Structures are given as C-alpha cells and as structure tokens.
Amino acid sequence: MEKGQRRILIGLVATLVLWAVLLARLFFIQIIQHEYLSRLAEIQQIKRVEIPAPRGRIFDRNDRPLAENLRTISVSANPSKIKDKRRTAKCLSEILQIPEGELLEKLSNGGKFAWLARQFPPSVERKVAAKNLEQVYCMDEMKRVYPTGNLAVMLVGSTDTDGKGIEGIECEMDRFLKGTPGWVTLFTDVTGKKFPLPRSYERPPAKGYDVILTIDANYQAMVEAKLTEGILKHNARGGTVILLAPKTGEILAMASEPGPNGDANPGSSRVPSRNIPVSDQFEPGSTFKVVAASAALSLGVCDTFSRFDGEGGEKDFGGYTIHDSKPHGWLSFRDAVALSSNICLAKIGLKVGKEGLYRYTRAFGFGSPTGLQLPGEAFGKVRPLADWSARSLCTLSIGQEISVTAVQLAMAYGAIANGGVLLKPTLMKAIVDEKGNTVKKWRPQRVRRVISEEVAATLRDCLKSAVEYGTGTGAGLSWISCGGKTGTAQKYDPANGGYGSGQYVSSFIGFIPADSPELLCLVIIDEPQDIHYGGSVAAPIFKGIVEVIGRFPLTPVKPGYARLVLDSSDEKKGRAVVPDVRFMEWQEGKAILEDLGLKVKMAGAGRRVWTQSPHPGEVLEPKAEITLTLLDEGKRLFRIPDVRGLSLREATRVLSDSLLASEIHGSGIVVRQDPMPGTEALAGTVCCLGCEE
C-alpha cells in the first residue's frame, strides 16, 4: 500500500473512531444520563420564586384605614456580572438620589445579589428601565403605610422592613394579617434574565385578612388633642386616656403620651414604645375606694344611711395616722364616697374585713391580666393575705399598697357602670376577608358578675354626687348627668422606700349618662407640676373630652366594610375616587392625590392633613382640584370653616370632618354660626349653628 493511501486509511480510521466516541458520548448523555441532566438543568434554569402575600389592612370601626399597603419598587443587582460598575452606580445615583460611592460599594462586593434601594415610588421602575443597565432588576415590594400618621400609633403598632408585625395590633394580629405566600416557576437564561414559563404560576398568594378595630378615629384624634393640651397645661411628665363603651367592653379610644418632662415630645415618632395603659402599673389612690364601698354594700355591713366620723381630718388607727385633704365631721356613706374621705373609707374597710376586701379586689379583676389584645400586659400587684401588715386593710381601702394598670381600673368602673358585670376589654371588632366576608367576630365577653344591679345602681348614684357636690365638680356637664371619682396618689419612690415629695398621679374616671352609662372615660396625668389634685387636673380634661365626644353619636359598625369602587364608565373617562388622606403627612397625601391625576392645593400650615375638600369617596374628573388643610400638631389649632348657607346635614358633615362638634338651634339652612368662620380653634370646639327653614 502506498504511503498516501496509508495516510488516507489512518485518517479514515481516526475519523470513524472519533465519531464512534462522539456517538458513545451522545448515547451516554442522551440515554443513560438523560434524567439526571434534565433534573440538573431544571435546577439551574428553572427556579421556584416565592411571591409575598399582600398584608391585610387595619381599619377603625367606621372603615377608616389605619394601616394599609403601598406598591413600591425595590432595585437589586447581580454585582458579579456587572462589567462597568462605576457607570451603573452613576446612573442609579441620578435616579435614586443615593450617593454614587454608596452604590458603588454595594456593587463591588462581588456577590450574586445585592439590594441597591428598597421601597421607592413606582416611577423609579420606568427611569431604571430607560437606562438599560445590565444585571439591574426592579421588583414590586409592598410597603406598610399608616394613613393617619401617628394617630393611635401605640395601638396600631408597626412592622419591620419585611412586613412582619413587631408592635401593637400589627404584632398581636400578625397571624391573621400576614397571609400565605405563593410561588411561581421562572426560566433563567444565560444572561441571568428570568422569564415566566407557560402554566408556571403554581400557587397565587393568599392575601392577609383585614382587621377592624373597635376604636373610632375621630374619637381618638379628639382624645389625643385634649390629652396633649392637658399635659402641656400642667407641664406634666405624661398622661393616659381610655375611652370605652361599658356595656360591651369595647375600647373606643386609648392614648398615652409623654410630656415635656417625659422621655420624648408627644407624637414625635411613628415607632411606639410600650403600651402604657396595659404595661405600666401605678398606685390608684382614691379611685380604688369604690372597691371597699362595693364590698361594704354587697356584704351588708353598710348602707347609704350609715354614718362615719371624719375625725376632723386626722385619725390614729393604732400606730399609723391617716389624713384627709380637708377636715370632715360626721358623713353619710354617700358623702364619704362623694367627698373622698380617707378616714371614713378606712373605717368602711375595717367593717368589710381583710377576707372580704381581698375577695372583692380580685373579683373586680385586679391582680390578673384583662386579656386586651396588646402585647406586654402587666398583672398589677395584689399581695396575698398572708403578706398583709397591720395597716394593710385600711391603706388598701384608700388605694395604697396596690398596683393596677389603667385598663384594669377602667374595666372595674365599667362593671359599676353596666350593672355589676366585669367584661373582658377588646380592641377587636371583626376579621374579614378581601370580599368582606366575616372570618371572626368579637362579641361582649363576660368574665363574672362582681356586684348586684342594686349595688351598682347605688354606687353610680354616689359617684353622681361626687360630681354634683364632691371632689369631682370639675367634671360636671350642663347638658347631661355624669358620675365619677377623683384620684390623687403620691408616687412611691423605691430609692428611699417611701412616697416621693411632690410627685403625684392625678386621675379621674367617669361615665355619662349617670343613670345608664354609654361612655366611660379614664384620665390619668403623671406628675403635674402646678396643682396635683385629681379634681383640679384630670376632671377638667375628662369634661373637655366628653363635652366633645358625647355630642357625636357613636356610629354602629357596618357588616364588612365599605369599598370605594369606580364603575367601568368612570374608568374609561379617567375619573378618580377621592381617597381619604386626612391625618397623613402632607407630602404623602399630596403624592397619592397627584398620582391619581388630581391637582392639589395646600391651605394652612403644619405637618399633617386635617381636612380635605372634596370629601373622601367623591368621584372627580381628571385634573380636578382638591384642597388639603394642614394642622400644626403642636398647637392643634385650625380655622373654623364657613358653613353658612349650607343645609344642616351638609354643615354638620363639614364640621365633623374638621373634628368640630355641633350645637344645633332650629332647622333648615344654616344662617348663623358661632364661633365665626376663620376663627382659630382647637379640635373638639363646639360650633353653635342657627338654622332657618
């Protein structure tokens, strides 16, 4: 065989061998390793991505949103595959208004994933896409927003960056609010871009349930305004107010704010600290005297005609002396309660006895958590009988040697107000799904009967006398009967083992109307600096709150909750439903309205929106104008609107939206109003309307 032919033969054989090896390799890959490689490719190219569930919203009892979700855009990147990191950082810096160096540092970490910016306005997505940046991605992320700003902040609470509840109702009801995440399968190409595959949407996320609270946002705003006013007036360390419906146990408003002598300025931060009404304990002082009085009437050791010697304001009870703030002679049982005589109540306590007083103290709920749906509730402190000293019976009868929480005290008085039944307090009205179907509903929950209806009625009558001529005259109202009790307690100082000099807790707890109470309000002012008696400090604040709130009818809770929906014709015409931006930071409210194509006009000065016109729920044409009136939260002053010429119904609506009360004279069209339009007033001011047909 010639040399050339041998070369051809060798080449042919080599080619055949190569093809044989390739065919064998293909057989091995395609047949033998098919399943393994398919699984490997699926792992590398098809990924299961979790889809977060939209968090449920939180509403007040009248469907005003207190917490909801806002669609935002978050920007991420794959730094390991970005070639020109400096250009990428520069482009994104212009869009995101983040320092270029900060972005460059994130892009230089060499990893496969990095967050560059989170929870920015949706307009960012379009701007980033226009830059056509490699390995930079925009994704939807829901941001928790609170339309009413700091209103009811300690109740509603907050979430972390990932949307998990960490405070207040957000934390306590997280299991209902958080929903169930879904997931989707995506195909990833060689450049790292992800694409959905046909039928890849395996499970959609289940939206969290919405939570409806018992509080009324209007009541809450008024309570917070009056509380702040009282704290500043008395230069106090802080204060607490609880407003509730004694017949149901529903909390209608609950506020607690530090004052200029406290840890922070009122309303200075969205982040709540602790829920003081359930977590902080204090000596109640004279407001606790109703327990000894209740026990005495229930056990039959006293009646309203029983008389006690006030001893001229000072009495030695055998090794310890009890004083009254004013000297008293002989007092009836009713007057002893109304005038809050320490000496007479100590004598009543001696008649009740240790076992009786302890039993009724525990029966009223002291020493046990109330079960209110807020984290961190304290038990209070009631010492067991074995630890009582020789003076404990008398001092406990006047509210010393015991620690209570504000909620415990409010619910104890709620039992007197509703006819003798201790109820479990609640902040929860209902949990509903996104269609408005009720998932869970709260009804009044009875704990136990503490006293009889007859005893409760007698005590209400005594407390009515306390407001008529006793220590609570500062709480009296001209237009409705009122009952209540003052409290002035010296604060215990653990540093010296005694009561601090000049440190007091001033309180008043009352209800209206006195005979069949519908509203109950507790006011506590911590360390007032000028005067310290509960009748002079807390009672007038109670009066200011009830003067306003008592004139506003309590709106019954609707089944489900309202939804503002455009019909198809409105959508085609570009019309928009006006959202409720009251109480929002003005920048946030303005941005929401402008995103709907509305023009925004600002009026007044301040940080937060107080009123808006047109009203929430109205349907507006494109580019219509809406006016936002701002409020200076420090002063809580704003100008009274002009309602002359309006129908009575429309006038009361305008005033109600401005958190003003109405006193109506006549009917028909409003022709006179007092105060006059433009007058500066506090929230809750009563506006008298004169109407004519």
Side-chain angles (χ1 to χ4, degrees), residues 14 72 98 161 189-190 231 235 315 323 325 357 360 414 521 617 676-677:
T72 64
I98 296 175
T161 308
D189 66 10
V190 293
I231 290 172
N235 197 28
K315 166 69 175 172
H323 300 84
S325 59
L357 186 59
Y360 276 87
C521 182
M676 290 296 290

Side-chain angles (χ1 to χ4, degrees), residues 282-290 325 337-340 342 398-399 409 413 463 466 470-473 475 484-491 503-510 522-528 531-540:
F282 64 99
E283 245 185 34
S286 294
T287 52
F288 193 77
K289 290 174 180 175
V290 294
S325 59
V337 174
L339 298 173
S340 196
N342 291 333
I398 61 175
L409 190 59
Y413 272 78
L463 296 174
T471 57
T473 55
K485 184 74 188 72
T486 58
T488 307
Q490 261 189 304
K491 295 181 71 173
Q503 296 180 334
Y504 293 89
V505 174
S506 303
S507 59
F508 182 85
I509 183 166
L522 167 64
V523 179
I524 299 171
I525 300 297
D526 188 13
E527 295 186 21
I531 51 178
H532 59 265
Y533 290 110
S536 302
V537 176

Side-chain angles (χ1 to χ4, degrees), residues 319-339:
Y320 59 94
T321 302
I322 292 179
H323 300 84
D324 275 334
S325 59
K326 294 180 180 179
H328 298 295
W330 284 89
L331 297 175
S332 67
F333 179 93
R334 178 193 305 276
D335 289 346
V337 174
L339 298 173

Side-chain angles (χ1 to χ4, degrees), residues 537-659:
V537 176
I541 298 173
F542 166 91
K543 180 179 180 178
I545 291 171
V546 177
E547 186 74 55
V548 177
I549 290 178
R551 296 172 183 265
F552 279 78
L554 184 61
T555 306
V557 179
K558 305 164 188 173
Y561 51 91
R563 293 175 180 275
L564 301 177
V565 182
L566 287 169
D567 60 33
S568 57
S569 61
D570 284 326
E571 288 179 344
K572 290 176 182 178
K573 295 175 182 177
R575 292 173 177 164
V577 171
V578 178
D580 191 346
V581 299
R582 292 172 296 181
F583 304 112
M584 284 188 186
E585 301 283 335
W586 71 266
Q587 296 94 333
E588 184 178 1
K590 183 172 182 287
I592 290 173
L593 295 170
E594 287 179 342
D595 281 347
L596 294 174
L598 301 174
K599 293 182 179 179
V600 180
K601 178 183 176 183
M602 313 301 294
R607 186 168 61 89
R608 198 158 65 172
V609 178
W610 196 243
T611 63
Q612 63 180 83
S613 179
H615 299 288
E618 294 190 19
V619 178
L620 299 183
E621 298 291 336
K623 298 183 179 181
E625 184 176 270
I626 183 167
T627 300
L628 304 182
T629 303
L630 308 183
L631 172 71
D632 184 335
E633 288 188 79
K635 298 179 180 177
R636 297 195 184 253
L637 289 172
F638 58 98
R639 296 190 181 278
I640 291 180
D642 189 349
V643 297
R644 292 171 299 182
L646 300 179
S647 67
L648 182 57
R649 179 177 181 181
E650 182 63 19
T652 54
R653 178 187 176 188
V654 170
L655 293 174
S656 176
D657 285 343
S658 301
L659 297 186

Side-chain angles (χ1 to χ4, degrees), residues 10 24 147 193 207 237 240 265 273-274 339 348 363 391 403 450 460 507 521 534 572 602 613:
I10 292 171
K193 292 184 179 180
K207 178 183 176 294
R237 188 170 184 269
T240 294
N265 291 324
S273 52
R274 62 189 186 279
L339 298 173
I348 291 172
R391 62 182 295 170
S403 295
V450 183
R460 289 197 300 271
S507 59
C521 182
K572 290 176 182 178
M602 313 301 294
S613 179

